[in-house]
Amino acid sequence: MALSEALSLFGDRWALLVVREAALGVRRFTELQQTTGAPRTVLSDRLRRLVTAGVLEPREYVLPGARPRQEYVLTDAGRDLLPVLAAFSDWAARHLADDRPADVTYRHAGCGGHVGAHLVCDCGAEITHGDRLVASVLREGTP
């Protein structure tokens, strides 16, 4: 999938907020609507798109005396978005900081330490702000 396709899937606030909430254990439609603040029609659309893309998987559940409903759990593809969410959180803390605390911080369950996103080369070197980063871009019509 090209970056442009990923941006079309996650290019608005609602899709990534749904992924964040699912990662935090919020799985049911009414809970997702409450925690994200998304309008019903928007949330329905984002859930459908995220299921179609393989980011979320619907699972049926039944409350006593009620009809079957769907809850949504992250797939491996959905869990692979956690570094993206951590990177957004880190960026917001650095560049949009104000007096409010961060709404979500990512911590290692083992020690409680902060978990952030970092660029790491295949050779194991961590890429820092001062390092030169080169991107190879494949465009249509170029060999």
Side-chain angles (χ1 to χ4, degrees):
M1 178 181 278
L3 177 60
S4 62
E5 292 172 274
L7 289 174
S8 71
L9 180 61
F10 299 109
D12 68 28
R13 69 179 289 181
W14 304 118
L16 284 177
L17 284 176
V18 168
V19 171
R20 180 191 75 181
E21 294 303 319
L24 295 171
V26 179
R27 297 186 174 124
R28 297 180 178 172
F29 187 93
T30 55
E31 296 166 339
L32 286 165
Q33 187 180 17
Q34 183 178 33
T35 58
T36 64
R40 286 186 68 80
T41 55
V42 171
L43 181 57
S44 292
D45 178 68
R46 295 320 177 272
L47 289 170
R48 181 188 49 74
R49 288 171 39 193
L50 292 169
V51 167
T52 299
V55 172
L56 293 175
E57 177 181 86
R59 292 191 185 157
E60 190 174 278
Y61 73 94
V62 181
L63 295 174
R67 66 177 174 81
R69 297 182 185 269
Q70 299 287 321
E71 65 180 6
Y72 302 89
V73 296
L74 290 178
T75 63
D76 287 342
R79 284 185 290 279
D80 283 347
L81 287 165
L82 293 177
V84 174
L85 294 173
F88 270 120
S89 291
D90 287 352
W91 183 88
R94 282 193 305 274
H95 300 288
L96 301 177
D98 55 21
D99 294 337
R100 295 174 296 157
D103 56 352
V104 174
T105 55
Y106 296 90
R107 301 217 171 269
H108 178 224
C111 73
H114 176 263
V115 174
H118 302 280
L119 295 175
V120 179
C121 178
D122 287 341
C123 73
E126 188 171 318
I127 309 302
T128 63
H129 297 291
D131 292 334
R132 186 164 182 246
L133 183 63
V134 178
S136 299
V137 179
L138 177 63
R139 301 204 190 275
E140 266 188 61
T142 58

